[in-house]
Amino acid sequence: MQALRVINDEHRGLAAVLHGMLYLVHEIRDRRGKPNFELLGAMIYYIDAFPERFHHPKEDEYLFRLLRLRHPEAAPLLDRLKTEHRAGAEKIRTLEQALARYQQGGDREFSNFLAAVEEYVAFHWDHMRAEEKEVLPLAEKYLSAGDWEVIDAAFLGHADPLLGAEAGAKYDALFTRIVNLAPPPIGLGPERQPA
């Protein structure tokens, strides 16, 4: 059941990026902070590239599929979460478009970007909470040792069947870049300058 640790660690990393993005847009709103479009773009790329292309497909293919077989009563919950995985990709497109409009259109586009960030963050936090509070306890209860061997193999080592084993290192490097670009208290980058 090592995959449980990996899933929770991946959720914590994603939550840190989401928290950081929310912090930045609130700094812009509340303190008239200057937007760091490079950082915001890297954050949106991360939440697109990592969960949507790497983390969620493994949940769907391994964890959800095996839990559905072992505990059919979980089907409505698993269906909802799988639908949310698909909806998340669409919400990210909205976020990307709102960032592009903000970057090109200036301050008059900020409120739309802020709303898109707040909506996506709330959506994804609710989604992760359901996985952690509902799915993972069911998985611990109903999956067999053999099921966990399959799930562990999928989640350990960042071995992405589509992108290759080096994909995990690329996501780790992107996360490190975000941390190094982000200002304190959310990262290690330079202090923010007022607008």
Side-chain angles (χ1 to χ4, degrees), residues 38-39 41-43 45 172-182:
E38 180 184 6
L39 174 56
M43 289 173 148
Y45 180 78
D172 291 344
L174 177 58
F175 185 83
T176 299
R177 179 172 170 250
I178 290 167
V179 169
N180 288 326
L181 284 171

Side-chain angles (χ1 to χ4, degrees), residues 22-33 102 110 114 118 192:
L22 193 60
Y23 176 87
L24 291 173
V25 296
H26 287 170
E27 283 286 300
I28 294 167
R29 179 194 66 195
D30 299 340
R31 300 177 198 261
R32 299 196 184 281
Y102 177 38
F110 174 71
L114 172 65
E118 289 177 334
R192 291 189 53 88

Side-chain angles (χ1 to χ4, degrees), residues 11 15 18 26 29 34 46 51 56 78 112 128 152-153 192:
H11 282 182
L18 294 173
H26 287 170
R29 179 194 66 195
K34 183 177 178 186
Y46 181 87
H56 291 160
L78 298 172
N112 291 327
M128 288 190 297
D152 285 350
R192 291 189 53 88

Side-chain angles (χ1 to χ4, degrees), residues 69-190:
L69 289 171
R70 303 292 180 241
H71 185 59
E73 293 83 1
L77 170 62
L78 298 172
D79 289 343
R80 186 188 94 218
L81 293 173
K82 195 168 182 176
T83 298
E84 288 176 6
H85 285 172
R86 288 191 301 273
E90 191 61 37
K91 289 180 181 300
I92 288 173
R93 301 293 82 75
T94 299
L95 199 53
E96 289 170 335
Q97 292 166 3
L99 177 62
R101 285 192 300 276
Y102 177 38
Q103 190 167 8
Q104 298 304 314
D107 290 342
R108 70 180 182 274
E109 295 290 343
F110 174 71
S111 63
N112 291 327
F113 178 62
L114 172 65
V117 169
E118 289 177 334
E119 181 183 331
Y120 183 81
V121 168
F123 163 80
H124 212 96
W125 278 342
D126 287 345
H127 175 81
M128 288 190 297
R129 190 175 303 111
E131 288 179 344
E132 293 175 6
K133 301 294 186 198
E134 297 177 62
V135 171
L136 296 183
L138 290 173
E140 286 183 89
K141 183 175 181 178
Y142 291 103
L143 295 179
S144 69
D147 295 334
W148 282 111
E149 287 179 21
V150 171
I151 295 167
D152 285 350
F155 275 91
L156 294 173
H158 291 292
D160 186 331
L162 298 176
L163 303 176
E166 70 281 353
K170 289 178 185 176
Y171 296 129
D172 291 344
L174 177 58
F175 185 83
T176 299
R177 179 172 170 250
I178 290 167
V179 169
N180 288 326
L181 284 171
I186 60 170
L188 303 173

